[in-house]
Amino acid sequence: RSEPSSTTSTDGDGGVYHITFYRKRLGLQFQKVPNEMGTTTGLLTNVLMTADGLDAPETTATELQRIASLSQHSKKRGGNSEMESILPVSPVDAVIVCGFIGFDDSSGSIRPKVGARLVAFDGIPVEVGRWTFESIRKGIQARGRPLTLSFRNDALSPKQQDILKKALGDISAAAPPPQSIPTNPQFNFPRTGS
């Protein structure tokens, strides 16, 4: 049984939505894609945006002081680059949804969209840190149930789209054919009368 715990957006506008799973089998297929999220996120970008006048001047000064503090802290610890203390560590891989074999639709739960990016499991973000596809898979398997997965409908790069299309083709080829209801010839009675 899977049920949505809370949803904020499923329209592809970048909002995060959550689905809670109560069974061990999720019924979702995931695909590893290169992490090609823009490099325009993080503390440095936020400060640059505020310096361009998109935020209040006092916030800009506060953020700049915070960055200077981080930089000095890094130098004291032997860091050799200011950028090391400012930019967050990006994950190695991104994980996107590419199939629903075994997904439980009977409870009325929402499905993530094909291509939706997994952004967290049980509140553990996978967009910051050296996450790989394998470490995310192991982390999800090690969690108990219920398990809450968080998704976001991001635009995919052309390279990510190509990988997703190939994965969708592979899943379609491997999926069992739809089951038809067998007919039993002994119950096909001839019509009588006319």
Side-chain angles (χ1 to χ4, degrees), residues 101-153:
I101 298 173
F103 189 82
D104 183 10
D105 288 315
S106 65
S107 66
S109 60
I110 61 169
R111 285 183 176 200
K113 289 186 176 184
V114 169
R117 181 181 175 124
L118 178 69
V119 296
F121 61 93
D122 277 348
I124 301 168
V126 296
E127 292 187 293
V128 177
R130 285 283 174 205
W131 289 99
T132 63
F133 182 82
E134 190 63 22
S135 64
I136 292 169
R137 185 186 67 77
K138 286 179 180 178
I140 289 172
Q141 287 179 337
R143 305 299 287 189
R145 299 298 185 265
L147 169 74
T148 300
L149 299 181
S150 303
F151 300 93
R152 190 177 55 236
N153 299 328

Side-chain angles (χ1 to χ4, degrees), residues 48-161:
L48 292 174
M49 288 175 62
T50 57
D52 288 337
L54 298 175
D55 206 353
E58 58 274 0
T59 304
T60 302
T62 303
E63 292 292 335
L64 288 171
Q65 287 175 344
R66 195 161 139 200
I67 285 185
S69 170
L70 287 171
S71 175
Q72 289 191 355
H73 178 71
S74 175
K75 287 179 183 175
K76 288 178 185 175
R77 292 187 349 193
N80 58 3
S81 169
E82 289 183 30
M83 293 304 287
E84 288 177 355
S85 64
I86 297 171
L87 297 177
V89 177
S90 296
V92 175
D93 302 318
V95 177
I96 60 174
V97 175
C98 67
F100 304 101
I101 298 173
F103 189 82
D104 183 10
D105 288 315
S106 65
S107 66
S109 60
I110 61 169
R111 285 183 176 200
K113 289 186 176 184
V114 169
R117 181 181 175 124
L118 178 69
V119 296
F121 61 93
D122 277 348
I124 301 168
V126 296
E127 292 187 293
V128 177
R130 285 283 174 205
W131 289 99
T132 63
F133 182 82
E134 190 63 22
S135 64
I136 292 169
R137 185 186 67 77
K138 286 179 180 178
I140 289 172
Q141 287 179 337
R143 305 299 287 189
R145 299 298 185 265
L147 169 74
T148 300
L149 299 181
S150 303
F151 300 93
R152 190 177 55 236
N153 299 328
D154 292 341
L156 299 177
S157 72
K159 185 175 184 177
Q160 291 171 330
Q161 288 175 19

